[in-house]
Amino acid sequence: MPDESDLQYRKRLQSLADEYGWNEMRAMREEIDALHIERYSPSFQKKLADAGLVGLTWPEPHGRGAPVDQQFLMAEELECQGFPGYGLTTNLRGGGMLLRNGSDEQIATHLPHVVDGSWTYCQGLSEPGAGSDLLSLKTKAVRDGDHFVINGAKLWTSSAHISKWCSLLVRTDATQSRHRGLSLLLVDLKSPGVTIQPVWVMGGWRVNAVFYDDVRVPVSNLVGTEHEGWKVITGNLDEERAMSFGGTETRLLCARLIHRLSARRETLHDSDLEMLGRFVMELEADRLLYLRVGLAAARGEDTSGIGPMSKVYGSELAQRFIEWACELLGHETLFSESDDVLARDMEQQLRVATVLTVIGGTSEVQRNIVANRHLGLPRSN
Ligand SMILES: Cc1cc2nc3c(=O)[nH]c(=O)nc-3n(C[C@H](O)[C@H](O)[C@H](O)COP(=O)(O)OP(=O)(O)OC[C@H]3O[C@@H](n4cnc5c(N)ncnc54)[C@H](O)[C@@H]3O)c2cc1C
């Protein structure tokens, strides 16, 4: 049973959502399109910050010390109505990393800017030759007095073109074994020597190739212990995999599709009705899995084995649903220029969903992690 504070909180979220009519939603969509980014609206993020809804579950004085389920309720109330949550989660990940590993000074410098929505964060891990096998990364940083000097290239850095900071994983000691000798540096992306180039993905948005040429970063931007960046980054990856990967958008699309079919009074073939029923059940399972991982993460429990389950399940479900739904609506979804907003969104989701099983770690690799971390099975060499 929800208690009174839950109900009050939901009302607060609902009244924020009510401020957005048709025109405001359209303007927000145009803002997202102009930035070429998926579900990231700076103006909406500012709105959440002004309403005191960013950093909710972080301990005071950095956050608001709210109960752990409030972040989940926020996604339920807002993302399921089509509000963009991606920017919020990437910035919270930057802040969460500092809460777990940062110095007092880093926490005091960064967290107020995350909470007021003025600073944005991205994550630079993957390289042209290092994706699933992240430990083979080559970007290096060499100590020079009270600075590190960085040289190398990162690929697929989502939102680098609109971020102030990048959490950059670099090799600081090439003589150590693969897990050791890595460090995590916070890099101001306006630093001299940083070049950001667009890479366009099929979903219609932009990721980035980022080049670092003799980029100088103060030693005070080292997060955690030098050469032990792997510990820092595995915490970040666990947090990333605790996010919803496609389930939330799919629930919204499924509800809109059902509304469309009801409005048309169309009779569905039995096999389509059965599929729809199955998808509704699977979406509920995805929601509960997401809740389980989110609550465990917020309580500080180890989610390294269950986060990947939720990631694989949600992303593969999103792909299966949109393929089926586009076939059901047929030719309408092939013409994304049409005025039919649902058909257009579905066509776009058909393209967007393709990356969900790659971004944040591929399904194959996630299954390996479930076998190893959740089931305790030995790794293959
Ligand atoms: C849209 C998008 C946004 C991204 N955003 C970011 C970002 O912000 N920051 C960032 O650092 N990275 C980002 N990435 C990179 C992403 O994390 C990598 O693409 C992903 O980890 C896979 O790496 P790879 O592309 O190098 O593929 P590879 O690692 O080369 O994999 C190729 C194929 O081999 C399979 N494979 C590899 N190893 C194994 C194994 N051990 N067992 C079984 N199969 C295996 C994979 O499953 C895959 O099918 C993004 C990627 C995309 C597509």
Side-chain angles (χ1 to χ4, degrees), residues 123-126 131-132 156-158 207 358-362 364-365 368:
Q123 191 163 258
L125 314 178
S126 309
S132 304
W156 309 115
T157 314
S158 301
V207 293
V358 177
I359 186 169
T362 66
E364 291 80 6
V365 171
N368 288 349

Side-chain angles (χ1 to χ4, degrees), residues 240-247 249 310-311 314-316 318 356 359-360:
E240 181 171 18
R241 289 163 192 159
M243 281 167 47
S244 167
F245 272 84
E249 300 94 298
S310 169
K311 205 247 152 192
S315 55
E316 295 188 352
L356 295 174
I359 186 169

Side-chain angles (χ1 to χ4, degrees), residues 265-279:
R265 298 186 180 284
E266 271 181 29
T267 312
L268 287 187
H269 193 278
D270 278 356
S271 60
D272 286 325
L273 271 180
E274 189 194 327
M275 280 307 286
L276 189 55
R278 277 174 189 248
F279 278 126

Side-chain angles (χ1 to χ4, degrees), residues 136-152:
S136 60
L137 69 85
K138 295 208 163 36
T139 297
K140 64 176 184 190
V142 177
R143 278 289 273 266
D144 179 20
D146 54 3
H147 282 75
F148 286 101
V149 181
I150 306 171
N151 279 286

